[in-house]
Amino acid sequence: MALDPELRSFLIQFQQVAEIAAQQQHDGSGPSLVEALQAHLQVAPASIAAVSKEVVAYRFADYDVALEQLAGPEAVNIGIGGGDQRHHMSLADMVGSPWARMTTGQVDWTNVAVGPTETRRVMSLGIRLFTYRGQQAAVLQRRASRMHGNGTGIIEVLCPEPEIANELIDELTTLGTELSLLRGKVLSLEMVGYEGEGDGFRFVARPDLPAENVILPPGVLERVTGHISGIAHHSETLRRHGQHLKRGVLLYGPPGTGKTHTVRHLISATPQHTVILLSGQTLQFVGQATAIARNLQPSIVVLEDCDLVAMDRGFSPTGNPLLFDVLDALDGLEADSDVAFLLTTNRVEVLEEALTQRPGRVDLAVEIPKPDEDARRRLLTLYRGTVPYSDDVLDEVAARSDHRTASFFKELMRRSVLVAAEAGEEPADHHLTAALDSLLADQATLDRNLLGGGDYDDGAPDEFGGPSIGAFAYHPLA
C-alpha cells in the first residue's frame, strides 16, 4: 500500500531528526563502537553476520573463564556506552541499526557466585577484541539481567570468516566444560526468587557428615554407599569390560526416618562428585540437571520426594507429564556416563512401575525404616550433645518411644534442654522424661483432633498403609 505523501515526508524528516540527535549524542563522547570494531576487524562490522550462543546463569562464570583463556593476555577489552539501551540490543543491532550510534565506554564487571562462599569477577557487559586462528574476532559477553529484561546471558561473535566464528563458539563451549567452576560443587537449582536466589541456582556447602552419625539398620548404609561411590571407584574397570555406569538408587520409608540424612552423608562421602539437588517445584528441572551431570561427571542428581513427579500416571488425569521428563533423563544418558540418580520418597506405593522396575533406571531400592530400640538408643546418644544424661534414663526413653522416627529424637533432645532452661536449671534426667511426656501428649492430642477424636495409634501405620500423621519433617539438605 502506497504511503500518503505527507506521511512519507513526515517519516523522512523524523528519521533525519533522530539521526542528527544520535550524531550529536555521539559527538564528544569518544570513539564510536562501529569505528572501534572496524579498526580491529578491518571490515565494516555491519557487513558481518553475528554468531550467538545463549548462556544460562549458572554457566556464565564458566564461559567467562573460557573466554579469558581463549582470548589470551593480548586481548583488548572495550565497554559499550549509550545508556540503558545497550542492555536491550544485540551486537548486530548496535553496529547495524541507523538509530543506534553506540560509543565505546567502560566495561561492566560484577561478582558472581562460584561456590558457597567464593565469587569471581566476570565481565557482565563488554567486548573482547583478539585474534583467533589467524582471524580478527570481536566477542560480546552479556550476563542475564531480569532488571533489563534479559532472562539469559549471551555470547555474540563477529568475525570476517563465518566458519571461524562457529569454530570459536564450539571451542568456547568445550573449554567452558573442561574448566567449569561447577565441577565438584553441590548445586541446587531454584525457582527464580529474590536477590541471591534470582539467578535460578544456589551453591550449597558440602555437608560434613561421617558414617557414624547415620543410624540405620546394619548393612544398609554400606549397601547404598557401595552402589553410589563403589561403582564410581571402579568406573574404568567397568568401562573396559563394557558394563554400564549410570545407576539409580531409591530410598523409601516414612517421613523423618533419615532418608535426607542419608543423602547428606552420601554427598559428604563423595567430594569428587558434582551434585545437583532438586526438590519440590524444581523437580521440573530434571532435564537441565541431567545435562549438568552428564558434562561434569562423576556426578549425582538428587530428586527429593520424587513421588511428586514420578507418581504412577494412573493417579493423574493428565498422565503426569513431569514423569516422562524423569524417565527421559534416566534413559537419555549413555551407558558409560558416571552419573547416579538418588531418589527419595515417603510414598513408594504410588511410584510408577516404569520408573522402579526397569534396569538402568532404579536398580537399587532400599527401605529406611523406623528405628528399632537399639537404633533409638544410638540416636539418643548421637543427639544428646554434651548433656550427661544417665544410661538408665536413655534406656527408658528408647523403650518408651516405639515407632518414633529419627527426627523425633532430635527434637526430643532440643526440647529437654529448653525445659531445663525455662526452669533455670542444668539439663538432667527428669527434664528428658518431662520432654518425652510432653511430646507424646502433643502427638496424641494432634492425632485425636485430626482423626476426629480417635485413639492415638502410637505412630504405627494406619489402616490404609500410610505413616502416622504425627510424623516429623525430615532434615533439610541446606
Side-chain angles (χ1 to χ4, degrees):
M1 183 180 70
L3 288 177
D4 179 82
E6 291 187 5
L7 176 59
R8 179 188 296 277
S9 175
F10 170 78
L11 291 176
I12 292 173
Q13 292 177 41
F14 182 82
Q15 181 178 359
Q16 291 173 344
V17 169
E19 289 177 350
I20 292 171
Q23 185 63 45
Q24 291 297 320
Q25 181 182 25
H26 167 63
D27 289 343
S29 301
S32 75
L33 180 62
V34 170
E35 291 169 350
L37 292 176
Q38 183 162 338
H40 174 71
L41 298 170
Q42 299 298 303
V43 296
S47 67
I48 305 173
V51 178
S52 63
K53 179 179 180 62
E54 292 187 344
V55 181
V56 293
Y58 52 81
R59 293 299 312 277
F60 192 80
D62 290 347
Y63 277 84
D64 185 76
V65 170
L67 260 175
E68 185 175 79
Q69 179 163 318
L70 203 61
E74 302 302 320
V76 174
N77 299 332
I78 61 173
I80 303 168
D84 196 57
Q85 63 177 323
R86 64 202 172 105
H87 295 284
H88 306 283
M89 301 178 67
S90 69
L91 182 56
D93 288 338
M94 291 179 187
V95 300
S97 171
W99 308 99
R101 300 296 179 90
M102 312 300 289
T103 64
T104 57
Q106 295 296 318
V107 175
D108 290 3
W109 302 89
T110 190
N111 289 329
V112 300
V114 294
T117 59
E118 304 86 26
T119 60
R120 173 183 169 84
R121 183 173 181 261
V122 302
M123 181 186 290
S124 57
L125 179 57
I127 299 175
R128 301 178 192 265
L129 306 177
F130 58 96
T131 302
Y132 177 77
R133 300 192 180 181
Q135 292 288 326
Q136 301 298 92
V139 181
L140 177 138
Q141 183 176 330
R142 184 191 353 244
R143 183 169 177 256
S145 172
R146 282 179 307 285
M147 180 176 71
H148 297 106
N150 303 320
T152 185
I154 195 165
I155 302 293
E156 294 186 80
V157 179
L158 287 179
C159 182
E161 293 294 332
E163 289 303 316
I164 297 295
N166 287 322
E167 291 174 12
L168 192 157
I169 289 286
D170 290 343
E171 185 172 353
L172 184 63
T173 302
T174 301
L175 194 58
T177 299
E178 291 175 356
L179 303 176
S180 177
L181 300 173
L182 303 179
R183 193 178 301 279
K185 303 288 178 60
V186 182
L187 183 71
S188 173
L189 298 188
E190 308 277 345
M191 303 298 289
V192 173
Y194 178 72
E195 289 189 348
E197 298 178 355
D199 282 336
F201 74 99
R202 176 170 56 93
F203 287 100
V204 178
R206 192 175 293 271
D208 181 13
L209 187 61
E212 56 266 25
N213 287 355
V214 183
I215 310 299
L216 295 176
V220 169
L221 185 60
E222 292 77 10
R223 187 181 179 201
V224 175
T225 302
H227 202 69
I228 294 292
S229 57
I231 290 178
H233 181 71
H234 298 291
S235 60
E236 291 307 316
T237 300
L238 289 167
R239 285 192 180 101
R240 190 168 65 251
H241 292 285
Q243 302 302 309
H244 72 87
L245 300 180
K246 64 176 182 176
R247 54 217 182 270
V249 176
L250 174 67
L251 305 180
Y252 67 93
T257 53
K259 298 181 294 297
T260 302
H261 200 62
T262 303
V263 171
R264 286 171 56 84
H265 165 70
L266 293 170
I267 296 173
S268 173
T270 52
Q272 74 281 11
H273 281 63
T274 305
V275 181
I276 305 98
L277 307 174
L278 301 177
S279 63
Q281 289 182 304
T282 64
L283 289 166
Q284 64 185 283
F285 302 140
V286 63
Q288 229 172 315
T290 304
I292 300 172
R294 180 189 298 111
N295 285 294
L296 302 179
Q297 55 186 290
S299 51
I300 300 172
V301 178
V302 178
L303 306 178
E304 283 228 82
D305 294 321
C306 66
D307 49 271
L308 295 176
V309 298
M311 183 183 293
D312 189 293
R313 67 194 77 188
F315 283 81
S316 169
T318 63
N320 196 0
L322 279 180
L323 168 63
F324 298 108
D325 291 341
V326 175
L327 299 180
D328 288 344
L330 292 169
D331 289 341
L333 286 171
E334 296 81 4
D336 64 348
S337 296
D338 190 357
V339 176
F341 283 83
L342 187 53
L343 301 83
T344 71
T345 182
N346 299 330
R347 302 184 297 162
V348 69
E349 69 279 359
V350 303
L351 289 188
E352 167 72 33
E353 288 188 3
L355 176 66
T356 59
Q357 296 187 8
R358 176 172 169 178
R361 289 177 175 173
V362 172
D363 41 20
L364 177 65
V366 178
E367 181 182 11
I368 308 296
K370 292 181 179 180
D372 60 16
E373 185 170 342
D374 176 68
R376 296 196 296 272
R377 180 64 172 79
R378 288 188 289 145
L379 285 166
L380 289 166
T381 300
L382 174 65
Y383 290 134
R384 70 175 176 179
T386 60
V387 182
Y389 295 123
S390 70
D391 289 340
D392 289 341
V393 76
L394 293 177
D395 291 341
E396 175 192 345
V397 171
R400 290 181 56 195
S401 52
D402 193 18
H403 297 298
R404 297 318 186 278
T405 61
S407 55
F408 176 91
F409 298 102
K410 189 172 186 179
E411 171 60 18
L412 172 63
M413 286 301 177
R414 187 186 72 91
R415 187 172 294 198
S416 68
V417 174
L418 184 59
V419 169
E422 290 174 341
E425 302 169 353
E426 286 297 306
D429 288 359
H430 66 281
H431 297 121
L432 181 58
T433 55
L436 177 62
D437 293 339
S438 173
L439 272 178
L440 294 179
D442 288 348
Q443 283 198 343
T445 300
L446 176 62
D447 282 358
R448 279 197 301 271
N449 291 335
L450 292 177
L451 297 176
D455 291 335
Y456 175 57
D457 67 0
D458 74 10
D462 63 23
E463 59 182 307
F464 301 103
S468 165
I469 293 177
F472 281 71
Y474 54 78
H475 307 273
L477 264 173

